[in-house]
Amino acid sequence: MNEKTDIKYLFEPRGVAVIGASENPEKIGYRIVENIVNSGYPGGIYPINPKGGEVLGHRIYRDLSEVEGEVDLAVIAIPAKFVLDAVKECGENGVKHLVIITSGFSEVGKRAEERALVETARKYGMRILGPNIFGIYSAKASLDATFGPGGILPGHVAIITQSGALGIAMIGKTAAESLGLSALVSVGNKSDIDESDLLEYLADDENTTVILLYIEGVKGGERLLSILRRITRAKHVIVIKSGRSKRGAAAAASHTGSLAGADEVFDAVMRQVGVLRAESVQEAFDWARFLADSPLPKRKDAVIITNGGGIGVLATDACEKYGVSLYDDQEALKKAFSSVMPEFGSTKNPVDLTGQATAEDYEKAMDLALKNDQIGSAISLYCETALFDTEAFSQLLSETYARYRKEKPIVFSLFGGERIERAITKLRKSGIPVFPDVYDAVSCLGALYRSWEYARSPEETIEEVKIDYPAIEGALATARAAGRTFLLAHEAEQVAAALGIPTPQAIVAPDLDAAVAAAERIGYPVVMKVVSKDIIHKSDAGGVALDLENQDEVIDAYQAIMRSCRAYNPKAVIQGVEVAEMVRPGVETIIGARQDPSFGPVVMFGLGGIYVEVMKDVSFRAAPLGKRTAHSMIGEIRSYPLLLGVRGEKRKDIDAIADVAIRLGALVHRMRDITDIEINPLVVYDHGEGVKAVDVRILLKGSPGGE
Ligand code: ACO
């Protein structure tokens, strides 16, 4: 059997063998058997150890071949040097999946040894999870095949983690936070099964409503994105990623490359596919717990109910930060809440019941908010006062939550002394979303709204754009034939023309007479640039002259360019000059596309000059792009208002920029040989007047700094 076995039996095995099972409670092989037994796994449990014996009431088999029952899963916990033989033995005995706990493979440079495991497993149609992992937990099978502390609560959150140590610690943490899990999987070295394979299974697992990913690095990001894009329509997906480093960025040869830091691209593409990125493990846990229990909102617009003005304002700030819109119909608010309000209270949102509010006032206000169809969700805040008992308030809070928890999203934040702290701990234990910090409460609500909005947004269709690919292949072939991994300016302009991106009219002139004739044909003013494969940075070589108004200036410029370029690089072969139309001024932007090492084709956009150089004000999206995505990428830069027109200026041609972004995205998605294409500047004119690509640079696979 050579085809890959369905991953279902990894999560729902009918029998589990533990190779390296030990009678010694200190050993990992013992702990795994113990967890399998304690988790109540109903299938066959087959400890394997050549010494034989018994562990926790289960016979230890000397050899897998002695086992008569079906073994879908084998957990391997023996020293690295014995693992390959064990893999073979599993294959010969019909095992479907291997969970290889053992460390000491590719993570310590033993790549060949790890490859051998995968190749052997493939021969038998087995799939490998690991090596170098702490195991797998599956609620569906009541199976804890990890060497963690045990006590995992079953629930609806699936965790996939690249970090073993953090994953083990998460077991204790989830239990302490009463967070129920549907699955917990450690992926370790990802020799075979990776996040994408696991997500394929979890996508169809009705038990899982929230997926939490802890990621350190991404391989095969394009597949991951396409699976995530689909899953996030039905489930909430949270990601925590460590390593916000700028690895690799410095070596990149283009702006797009140097700005496309691994983390910026990760952040952008996760948002693009509806994944919620948490800043910390705690935030991820808070979100996971809240999202697993909360109903989806039916509408936007939250209401804040508080007994303290200050905390209400903090909540308002938090709503702005996390994108939670507030219900704002003043008349309706007044009508709804005036019955529970003292004269000096406020029926605006935040609804401020004031410090003299009683538990009954709170209850009434919450009822009003939660029954009102115009209000999407509620944020209930409480500052400890002498006027009513924290115990009584906790009781009321539990009852209100129980009444409405399936109807509307609700979060609570309580602030005060020891009694409040105790109340919070108790309420959280019983699964109520109560937070000491109002920002944490609103952050959960924000995550819910973001996930909900993504899921209900219509799926984007990516329209085919007309691009003359044969012409582009021709330009690339010319460069390749000349032994180059970059395109000369006029070749890059041919590519732009084939893409349907407007460029300034230009003519390559081999000598002075031809340059003059070209200038006459194009019409003044013109610009002139040296054409030489040996001179890439033309301005540095004195190879560029701008704003040439007449024939005399063209002659002078030609001679000056030749002189400077020969002095700059005496060996350079100069093919002539390019004479081009002088582009009229507009807003200078930069737009590029490249092959990202993790996620494949991505597009970048920003304004030129200081916006890109100093402020790094750029945005990214994974390609190919539809219109909506292109517009959201453009709208995401901080300097976007400049494109909308400031101080009486007209709105710029944003549709034309989006069109260029779509075309560049389609190109790098289809032609993987192009590692970088960058237009800098892309000059943008007023709405309806289009854009012009002034300088186009293209790098091919194999170029220094390219991927
Ligand atoms: N078949 C079955 N049993 C075998 C075999 C075999 N082919 N070979 C040896 N055994 C038995 C041994 O006799 C022993 O049993 P015993 O206690 O009865 O003597 C048992 O298997 C284990 O073998 P040991 O040699 O005692 O190995 P030990 O348990 O010390 O270590 C382990 C094995 C745990 C797999 C170790 O090699 C290892 O890789 N440790 C790291 C695990 C890890 O951290 N993984 C990543 C987790 S994520 C994180 O970072 C926390």
Side-chain angles (χ1 to χ4, degrees):
M1 184 163 92
N2 272 328
E3 79 269 24
K4 289 181 172 180
T5 316
D6 191 320
I7 208 165
K8 172 180 156 79
Y9 289 110
L10 177 66
F11 288 91
E12 302 164 49
R14 291 161 296 183
V16 180
V18 179
I19 299 179
S22 171
E23 291 178 338
N24 178 353
E26 308 274 294
K27 293 281 172 80
I28 283 184
Y30 175 92
R31 293 306 304 268
I32 294 169
V33 177
E34 188 185 33
N35 278 336
I36 295 175
V37 172
N38 288 348
S39 54
Y41 175 63
I45 303 174
Y46 308 109
I48 313 285
N49 187 321
K51 292 180 191 160
E54 196 184 292
V55 55
L56 297 159
H58 288 266
R59 169 187 164 192
I60 298 180
Y61 296 80
R62 289 176 200 282
D63 198 283
L64 249 183
S65 60
E66 287 180 12
V67 175
E68 279 172 6
E70 188 96 38
V71 180
D72 289 330
L73 181 68
V75 183
I76 300 182
I78 53 176
K81 57 179 189 268
F82 302 131
V83 173
L84 184 60
D85 283 341
V87 171
K88 271 189 209 140
E89 195 189 332
C90 288
E92 280 156 11
N93 287 282
V95 173
K96 292 188 172 62
H97 294 294
L98 304 174
V99 166
I100 305 182
I101 304 287
T102 312
S103 302
F105 290 95
S106 67
E107 84 283 5
V108 293
K110 299 208 166 163
R111 287 174 207 285
E113 286 80 350
E114 190 167 298
R115 247 195 326 273
L117 301 183
V118 178
E119 279 160 14
T120 307
R122 287 241 162 94
K123 255 195 247 160
Y124 294 100
M126 296 186 292
R127 305 285 314 263
I128 294 181
L129 184 68
N132 189 30
I133 57 174
F134 64 78
I136 181 167
Y137 164 78
S138 166
K140 203 166 210 169
S142 296
L143 173 69
D144 177 359
T146 73
F147 63 89
I152 302 177
L153 298 172
H156 303 292
V157 178
I159 300 180
I160 299 175
T161 172
Q162 244 177 53
S163 160
L166 200 64
I168 290 190
M170 279 182 187
I171 295 179
K173 178 87 175 152
T174 53
E177 300 248 335
S178 328
L179 179 70
L181 302 185
S182 58
L184 172 63
V185 192
S186 161
V187 289
N189 296 358
K190 296 196 266 191
S191 68
D192 175 24
I193 293 174
D194 63 11
E195 290 91 351
S196 300
D197 297 308
L198 299 166
L199 287 168
E200 290 273 15
Y201 171 85
L202 294 170
D204 296 328
D205 175 34
E206 69 286 354
N207 227 5
T208 300
T209 55
V210 179
I211 299 168
L212 196 162
L213 296 162
Y214 176 87
I215 288 184
E216 282 168 356
V218 177
K219 290 187 227 160
E222 274 187 86
R223 181 172 166 231
L224 182 66
L225 289 184
S226 86
I227 295 167
L228 286 172
R229 200 188 293 272
R230 186 157 52 81
I231 294 189
T232 47
R233 300 228 146 245
K235 302 181 190 232
H236 307 289
V237 182
I238 301 164
V239 66
I240 321 164
K241 180 177 172 289
S242 58
R244 291 178 176 258
S245 85
K246 302 267 184 284
R247 171 187 55 85
S254 66
H255 263 100
T256 317
S258 65
L259 291 162
D263 199 64
E264 285 77 3
V265 173
F266 182 88
D267 211 66
V269 299
M270 286 297 134
R271 232 176 312 119
Q272 186 179 351
V273 298
V275 172
L276 305 164
R277 183 172 185 186
E279 286 286 323
S280 65
V281 177
Q282 185 59 52
E283 185 174 56
F285 271 54
D286 285 347
W287 288 357
R289 206 166 94 148
F290 179 66
L291 296 174
D293 290 339
S294 174
L296 288 175
K298 293 192 182 71
R299 54 182 304 135
K300 288 180 171 187
D301 297 347
V303 77
I304 301 170
I305 294 172
T306 179
N307 67 340
I311 197 169
V313 176
L314 280 177
T316 312
D317 291 348
C319 284
E320 192 171 306
K321 174 171 175 183
Y322 296 113
V324 176
S325 66
L326 288 176
Y327 184 58
D328 207 22
D329 185 335
Q330 299 303 328
E331 275 310 304
L333 278 163
K334 198 166 174 186
K335 216 164 124 199
F337 292 103
S338 52
S339 64
V340 288
M341 197 68 59
E343 263 175 29
F344 44 88
S346 167
T347 56
K348 290 192 178 131
N349 195 2
V351 175
D352 186 356
L353 303 173
T354 79
Q356 73 166 37
T358 62
E360 291 70 48
D361 296 333
Y362 246 104
E363 187 171 15
K364 266 198 217 156
M366 285 300 287
D367 278 337
L368 286 168
L370 293 164
K371 280 190 183 141
N372 187 326
D373 286 344
Q374 299 303 306
I375 293 170
S377 55
I379 301 164
S380 173
L381 312 175
Y382 169 65
C383 283
E384 190 175 25
T385 69
L387 280 188
F388 73 93
D389 181 38
T390 301
E391 274 295 311
F393 185 69
S394 293
Q395 184 60 29
L396 169 102
L397 192 153
S398 303
E399 286 165 13
T400 307
Y401 183 69
R403 261 203 312 283
Y404 297 102
R405 58 181 294 252
K406 293 206 183 314
E407 308 287 319
K408 259 181 207 181
I410 319 170
V411 288
F412 301 89
S413 178
L414 313 186
F415 189 73
E418 250 178 59
R419 278 183 308 168
I420 288 283
E421 300 276 324
R422 273 200 304 275
I424 290 176
T425 310
K426 199 169 142 205
L427 290 164
R428 282 180 71 92
K429 270 251 171 263
S430 55
I432 302 178
V434 183
F435 301 85
D437 189 325
V438 62
Y439 271 78
D440 294 338
V442 178
S443 154
C444 287
L445 202 56
L448 177 68
Y449 271 116
R450 285 204 299 287
S451 186
W452 172 68
E453 271 169 18
Y454 178 86
R456 69 203 271 266
S457 64
E459 270 183 66
E460 189 173 36
T461 45
I462 296 181
E463 287 156 28
E464 185 106 12
V465 274
K466 232 179 120 213
I467 291 174
D468 182 357
Y469 285 111
I472 297 175
E473 273 153 16
L476 264 53
T478 310
R480 287 281 188 208
R484 279 182 276 117
T485 50
F486 62 90
L487 268 64
L488 294 177
H490 67 277
E491 292 164 348
E493 276 154 23
Q494 281 165 21
V495 172
L499 279 169
I501 298 172
T503 49
Q505 199 191 344
I507 298 169
V508 175
D511 54 35
L512 177 59
D513 288 346
V516 172
E520 295 286 326
R521 225 173 93 195
I522 291 167
Y524 297 101
V526 294
V527 297
M528 191 184 285
K529 291 180 209 166
V530 67
V531 177
S532 166
K533 69 173 172 44
D534 303 315
I535 301 173
I536 298 176
H537 301 290
K538 300 182 205 81
S539 302
D540 295 353
V544 180
L546 304 175
D547 208 7
L548 309 175
E549 301 267 10
N550 52 45
Q551 217 183 78
D552 287 347
E553 287 187 18
V554 167
I555 295 167
D556 288 350
Y558 182 90
Q559 285 161 344
I561 284 177
M562 290 302 149
R563 257 196 321 276
S564 326
C565 288
R566 285 204 184 98
Y568 179 78
N569 180 357
K571 288 196 190 130
V573 177
I574 296 174
Q575 283 144 290
V577 291
E578 185 195 76
V579 180
E581 162 198 345
M582 175 93 185
V583 172
R584 69 186 166 91
V587 175
E588 294 200 355
T589 64
I590 169 169
I591 189 159
R594 72 187 309 254
Q595 308 296 343
D596 179 78
S598 297
F599 294 102
V602 293
V603 180
M604 182 206 79
F605 172 73
L607 292 200
I610 57 156
Y611 298 101
V612 62
E613 302 287 347
V614 183
M615 298 169 66
K616 315 260 183 266
D617 183 14
V618 291
S619 54
F620 297 92
R621 288 295 183 275
L625 270 58
K627 260 194 195 140
R628 194 175 71 216
T629 303
H631 277 275
S632 80
M633 174 177 75
I634 298 164
E636 205 174 272
I637 58 167
R638 293 190 299 278
S639 38
Y640 182 61
L642 296 179
L643 293 174
L644 293 176
V646 284
R647 284 187 275 161
E649 278 182 10
K650 283 199 185 136
R651 179 191 164 95
K652 306 299 161 207
D653 204 333
I654 296 165
D655 293 343
I657 307 173
D659 186 57
V660 172
I662 290 167
R663 286 169 188 279
L664 293 186
L667 176 71
V668 293
H669 185 256
R670 172 153 164 167
M671 298 181 74
R672 302 301 170 107
D673 198 29
I674 297 179
T675 59
D676 285 78
I677 174 163
E678 184 168 281
I679 303 175
N680 183 20
L682 175 80
V683 179
V684 184
Y685 299 110
D686 288 349
H687 182 65
E689 292 178 19
V691 292
K692 216 148 233 191
V694 176
D695 196 1
V696 184
R697 287 189 196 188
I698 297 172
L699 300 178
L700 305 180
K701 211 175 239 166
S703 60
E707 299 305 331

